[in-house]
Amino acid sequence: MTHTHHRRGSRESLQKDFVVLAMIDREAEAQHAYGGPLEARVEKLLRILERHGPVALLARASGRRLRYMRWWEPRMDSGIHRAASLGEIVHSEELPDEGLTHAVYTRGEAVEGVLRELREADLGISIVVSGVFDDVFDICRRAGTEPHTVNMSLGTWGRAQLMPRGAVLELCTMCGHAMISSRLAEAMIDRVRRGALAPEEAAVELGKQCTCNIFNVERATEIIRNAAAGGA
Amino acid sequence: MRIDRERCIGCRSCVIYCPVGAIKAEDDEVRIDQDLCVECAACLKSGVCPQDALHQPELGWPRALRSQFSDPLVAHPVTGISGRGTAEMKTNDVTGRFREGEVGLAIEMGRPGISTGFADVERVAAALAGRVEFEPLNPVTALIDEETGRFRDRSVLKERALSAIIECKTTEDRGIEILKILKEVSEEIETVFSLCIINRCKGFDVPFRERMEAAGFTPRINGKTNVGLGRPLA
């Protein structure tokens, strides 16, 4: 489960890409249920995540994945996921019960707000932030939290010549489970170049393939727009 | 994954959705190369087929491993959770899985999007065996002999996956030696791996990062930070 890791791109692009992940440890919950019933704490967690404007959010409940993605309309539903608005997820009666929630943000200020509120709420739930380390550490300082453990990337080793390059690699690595094919990313860029799709539509089509919903549709839109205009 | 010949109209819409290029269009026919297909179901989940011609047959052993390692919605029998690895450092503030002075490694074979044969997974696991502590809850660990790094069931070797993660840990003192071993074995494999290095922080310092940089291994600028808001187990 290293899937928010290894995202590629320039520093400037990655600085608009944060994934906040909340994970519940079942053994710890069984042992001390820190801070009261889990259901109430998860509801607080979701409200905090919502308040700071994620571009994508996923919560797992009762075997289903409740997904919100900016610009995703019900007609774009891939058929296996319930297309839900952010509000529908947060106010769902089926609160996440499978231990994992993700939210994607494009601004450090939003992540700082999330961490500040989570620290004050003291929910006892593990929180992991993926992003540029320098920025995440600065955010921790401002929010009054301290990094506990880091997971660093030493990049890709082996036959690197097999990998896609440039914009295609940046788009594909936003789904850590590699469900976004490089051929699909190339086709989406090409369709935008030919005027057959808007960059936002192309980004959503790619994001639908990411079943964990950690794909950053706003960043992808910018990457696609630049690539279609002749960038890398 | 299979294509229902009665339904398929050869429109080729599904071809670009396959992460490993296993769906081939030849003349008027679309077919799936069963050797390359990793049973990730990305084509099926895309909902792109206008004829519902794609279908997932029940998979027996050892082909079922392809689905377990490739489809993020399929739970591993070992971990009981979907995904390819474990909670690793994500709950480390609660579990204490990685302690001060330790280094965790996650070697994700086939990532990003290249896929891997299990023979390459074994090659890397065997290079590490006896030198690291394999993560007991990891799906690859469940299949190997930890002393040799070899798969216990040799029929596994003909299978492929979109990716498979070897998870293990060592000490900060031995960490550089392990990275050098990985560098050597990376030149013997037919795929790629993405490499994760986990380390406990001391305040805002990351002790093993300095050692890596001094040895010529420079981490990328981005990664994951557990911000310490979980409450530890007793």
Side-chain angles (χ1 to χ4, degrees):
Chain A
M1 295 171 74
T2 57
H3 62 323
T4 59
H5 222 196
H6 304 303
R7 290 180 172 220
R8 297 300 186 99
S10 65
R11 176 179 285 271
E12 185 189 12
S13 179
L14 291 168
Q15 284 181 313
K16 298 173 190 166
D17 192 20
F18 299 90
V19 183
V20 175
L21 177 150
M23 193 166 199
I24 296 157
D25 183 84
R26 290 287 163 201
E27 192 182 343
E29 285 301 320
Q31 188 184 92
H32 53 47
Y34 182 87
L38 180 60
E39 194 175 75
R41 285 181 286 136
V42 169
E43 186 178 351
K44 276 188 192 169
L45 166 73
L46 286 173
R47 287 180 189 279
I48 291 168
L49 293 175
E50 178 200 29
R51 205 157 26 242
H52 296 278
V55 294
L57 187 142
L58 176 134
R60 304 183 192 190
S62 305
R64 296 197 304 161
R65 293 178 174 218
L66 307 179
R67 297 179 72 180
Y68 161 80
M69 185 163 60
R70 189 169 291 177
W71 296 309
W72 191 11
E73 298 167 16
R75 69 182 172 80
M76 297 170 175
D77 189 2
S78 63
I80 63 152
H81 302 294
R82 172 181 171 185
S85 72
L86 193 52
E88 274 177 323
I89 295 175
V90 175
H91 302 297
S92 169
E93 290 179 1
E94 301 171 85
L95 286 170
D97 55 6
E98 293 178 31
L100 201 61
T101 301
H102 314 125
V104 182
Y105 299 89
T106 56
R107 296 181 311 111
E109 292 81 359
V111 179
E112 181 185 334
V114 168
L115 292 191
R116 195 183 296 277
E117 285 202 53
L118 285 175
R119 183 178 59 80
E120 286 165 7
D122 196 15
L123 304 176
I125 297 171
S126 294
I127 302 293
V128 174
V129 180
S130 294
V132 173
F133 282 118
D134 292 347
D135 294 349
V136 173
F137 276 34
D138 282 345
I139 287 167
C140 284
R141 285 188 185 91
R142 292 197 300 271
T145 62
E146 195 168 275
H148 180 278
T149 308
V150 293
N151 193 342
M152 299 168 278
S153 169
L154 278 179
T156 307
W157 296 16
R159 296 186 63 185
Q161 67 271 24
L162 298 173
M163 289 163 49
R165 297 275 183 259
V168 172
L169 183 64
E170 291 174 26
L171 292 167
C172 292
T173 52
M174 273 197 276
C175 170
H177 285 120
M179 302 305 283
I180 298 173
S181 131
S182 57
R183 296 155 197 83
L184 181 63
E186 284 165 8
M188 290 299 111
I189 292 169
D190 186 54
R191 286 178 199 176
V192 171
R193 189 177 289 131
R194 289 188 283 110
L197 277 181
E200 294 85 352
E201 291 176 300
V204 167
E205 185 59 26
L206 295 177
K208 276 166 47 182
Q209 294 298 103
C210 174
T211 50
C212 294
N213 217 35
I214 56 168
F215 189 81
N216 183 335
V217 278
E218 261 188 37
R219 177 172 174 240
T221 298
E222 201 171 309
I223 293 169
I224 293 168
R225 185 179 288 120
N226 288 341
Chain B
M1 191 62 56
R2 301 279 176 175
I3 295 174
D4 184 335
R5 293 268 146 249
E6 298 294 313
R7 288 175 176 246
C8 179
I9 54 173
C11 71
R12 306 179 177 211
S13 303
C14 56
V15 172
I16 57 173
Y17 283 81
C18 177
V20 296
I23 308 180
K24 317 270 190 191
E26 289 166 0
D27 302 324
D28 292 333
E29 191 174 286
V30 177
R31 64 176 186 86
I32 298 176
D33 181 328
Q34 293 298 316
D35 286 336
L36 282 181
C37 174
V38 289
E39 306 289 359
C40 67
C43 54
L44 182 65
K45 292 188 191 103
S46 73
V48 72
C49 179
Q51 296 292 107
D52 289 331
L54 293 160
H55 66 101
Q56 177 78 75
E58 193 169 327
L59 303 171
W61 179 267
R63 193 169 177 92
L65 286 173
R66 295 188 183 222
S67 172
Q68 291 164 17
F69 277 88
S70 304
D71 184 344
L73 299 185
V74 171
H76 275 277
V78 178
T79 60
I81 56 173
S82 55
R84 294 170 193 158
T86 66
E88 31 100 358
M89 51 71 81
K90 291 196 278 295
T91 53
N92 202 42
D93 47 354
V94 171
T95 63
R97 175 178 280 174
F98 303 101
R99 299 173 191 279
E100 283 186 15
E102 292 183 333
V103 173
L105 297 103
I107 303 122
E108 186 159 1
M109 304 293 303
R111 179 175 178 177
I114 305 303
S115 79
T116 183
F118 275 66
D120 271 338
V121 178
E122 180 176 273
R123 207 161 276 135
V124 176
L128 296 173
R131 297 180 165 103
V132 298
E133 183 184 332
F134 289 105
E135 163 57 51
L137 296 176
N138 172 275
V140 171
T141 306
L143 296 170
I144 61 172
D145 174 332
E146 291 183 50
E147 287 186 14
T148 63
R150 285 162 57 89
F151 287 109
R152 289 191 299 273
D153 181 340
R154 308 303 292 163
S155 71
V156 163
L157 290 171
K158 67 182 181 186
E159 299 303 334
R160 298 189 64 78
L162 199 43
S163 79
I165 310 175
I166 299 167
E167 288 178 85
C168 56
K169 69 178 180 179
T170 185
T171 61
E172 288 179 2
D173 289 341
R174 296 199 65 189
I176 300 302
E177 172 196 340
I178 299 301
L179 293 181
K180 288 177 180 170
I181 290 167
L182 286 170
K183 182 58 84 180
E184 278 179 28
V185 75
S186 74
E187 289 165 16
E188 299 167 14
I189 57 175
E190 293 175 8
T191 184
V192 294
F193 60 76
S194 292
L195 184 53
C196 297
I197 303 295
I198 296 166
N199 196 214
R200 280 282 297 268
C201 301
K202 282 189 176 174
F204 283 80
D205 291 330
V206 182
F208 193 60
R209 178 156 55 193
E210 285 178 23
R211 287 204 195 190
M212 284 196 295
E213 285 171 344
F217 298 102
T218 305
R220 293 182 53 76
I221 58 170
N222 56 313
K224 298 197 298 195
T225 304
N226 179 320
V227 298
L229 293 177
R231 289 293 166 263
L233 282 161

